[in-house]
Amino acid sequence: MSQAPRKSRVFSGVQPSGSLHIGNYVGALTQWRDILDSHDCIFCVVDLHALTVPENVDPKALRAKSRELAALYMACGIDPERATIFLQSEVTAHAELAWVLTCTTPLSWLHKMTQFKSKAAANEAVGSGLLCYPVLQAADILLYDTDVVPVGDDQVQHIELARNIASRFNHLFGETFVLPKHKVRQAGARIMGLDEPTAKMSKSASGTGHAIYLLDSPKRVKKAIMRAKTDLGCEFRFDEASPGVRNLITIYEVLSGESREVISERYEGRGYGYLKKDLVDVVEASLAPIRAAYAGYTDDPAELDRVLDAGADRARGVAQSVLSRAMRNAGLGRR
Ligand code: ATP
Ligand code: LTN
């Protein structure tokens, strides 16, 4: 009997730091949701990575954030029946492989990472975990023989590094790891801040008008959109528009499914206020079901635990076999 071909393996994750915003939703989670059936999907709450964020030195808060994020994955449509969802720290192979890869990754590769450079520059006391952050990320990905890593634009450099780390290990110790590729959306791979549309919308940025968070109230969503920075003109053609207007059209486009051309034509000759007003409705139509589903999951913590226990069990099985392969090839242990 011929076997069905193995589905392509997907792995991705988000840190339980700050609150999930529509940049994360559009750039990462909508991609995850769209490939649930076509791929073998593994999605992780990367709590070990969150320890690199200084504000997370608060055990109770970190634990609560991890649960919140797992519930949000599901509320965003990541169906645990069709994907493995788990907490990174509950599968110890991540930290174990990270050490092995730390030893084979040249320091100069890590110093080139733009995320490290910007985060190190913005913080006075930086733990060495921040420098090794992309090595742990590589371990996450390589442990599952991952083919595809769906992320936002800002993570592409880290996925390319993971690929280089895998290639180097394979070169040193023989064929061990699958070489992963990133997957980014054509539109919406980098949603910009509403208050400053030349900078990426980010969980760690402060300021009330910066982001739309998935659990924001309708009132807050409206306020953030109506206050979003645009310009003094009335240019809606995407390629000619200012960064703030392009950002609003992009959010509209990806959440409504309408093309940017149709959207631009609809508002041509009118003020930006009309676009913003309709965008409030478009965003609300996406967020209302997420809020409702999230409330359902938080009302049932036992169900969330069941999902995360089952996810960690499955993840452990896959990860352990790849970790053993890597350790054996590197000469670690007796056999
Ligand atoms: P931080 O500011 O703490 O680095 P973040 O907002 O960048 O947080 P991450 O946890 O780093 O969020 O990202 C989770 C996922 O969301 C990643 O795949 C990342 O590429 C994606 N992502 C983050 N910000 C955006 C954005 N503004 N637009 C599109 N995708 C994004
Ligand atoms: N660095 C990522 C989070 C992350 C991740 C991963 C993403 C950790 N491990 C593995 C994809 C695959 C970020 O979004 N900040």
Side-chain angles (χ1 to χ4, degrees), residues 165-237:
I165 290 175
S167 284
R168 183 173 163 83
F169 190 99
N170 288 351
H171 178 74
L172 292 172
F173 298 115
E175 221 37 54
T176 306
F177 295 121
V178 171
L179 303 188
K181 286 202 181 90
H182 64 261
K183 182 172 175 300
V184 295
R185 294 180 64 107
Q186 265 194 335
R190 179 176 288 252
I191 300 296
M192 311 307 273
L194 297 180
D195 57 343
E196 185 39 74
T198 54
K200 173 184 101 78
M201 188 178 284
S202 158
K203 286 202 233 120
S204 48
S206 52
T208 44
H210 172 73
I212 299 167
Y213 299 100
L214 298 191
L215 297 177
D216 270 352
S217 65
K219 202 170 148 201
R220 281 188 69 112
V221 170
K222 184 170 180 191
K223 199 165 158 189
I225 294 175
M226 297 311 289
R227 282 192 182 173
K229 186 167 170 185
T230 50
D231 59 83
L232 295 174
C234 59
E235 180 56 82
F236 286 95
R237 286 169 301 170

Side-chain angles (χ1 to χ4, degrees), residues 35-102:
I35 54 178
L36 284 179
D37 292 323
S38 53
H39 292 68
D40 175 6
C41 292
I42 305 181
F43 299 121
C44 184
V45 172
V46 292
D47 54 351
L48 294 172
H49 279 103
L51 276 186
T52 63
V53 179
E55 303 88 81
N56 280 335
V57 187
D58 179 346
K60 249 176 126 175
L62 179 56
R63 197 163 285 129
K65 278 275 164 208
S66 296
R67 293 184 77 91
E68 174 187 314
L69 186 55
L72 263 175
Y73 281 5
M74 293 193 275
C76 289
I78 311 303
D79 175 2
E81 299 295 324
R82 294 184 287 152
T84 299
I85 302 175
F86 73 103
L87 261 52
Q88 185 188 32
S89 62
E90 294 182 351
V91 178
T92 55
H94 290 252
E96 294 171 83
L97 182 61
W99 170 253
V100 177
L101 298 180
T102 300

Side-chain angles (χ1 to χ4, degrees), residues 12-48:
S12 197
V14 176
Q15 302 187 69
S17 58
S19 302
L20 220 61
H21 52 69
I22 54 160
N24 304 130
Y25 176 66
V26 169
L29 278 98
T30 59
Q31 291 203 81
W32 304 1
R33 197 187 51 204
D34 291 347
I35 54 178
L36 284 179
D37 292 323
S38 53
H39 292 68
D40 175 6
C41 292
I42 305 181
F43 299 121
C44 184
V45 172
V46 292
D47 54 351
L48 294 172

Side-chain angles (χ1 to χ4, degrees), residues 11-13 15 46 49 133 137 140-141 149 151 155 158-159:
F11 182 97
S12 197
Q15 302 187 69
V46 292
H49 279 103
Y133 178 113
Q137 184 165 351
D140 297 343
I141 297 167
V149 188
V151 283
Q155 290 301 311
H158 284 171
I159 314 306

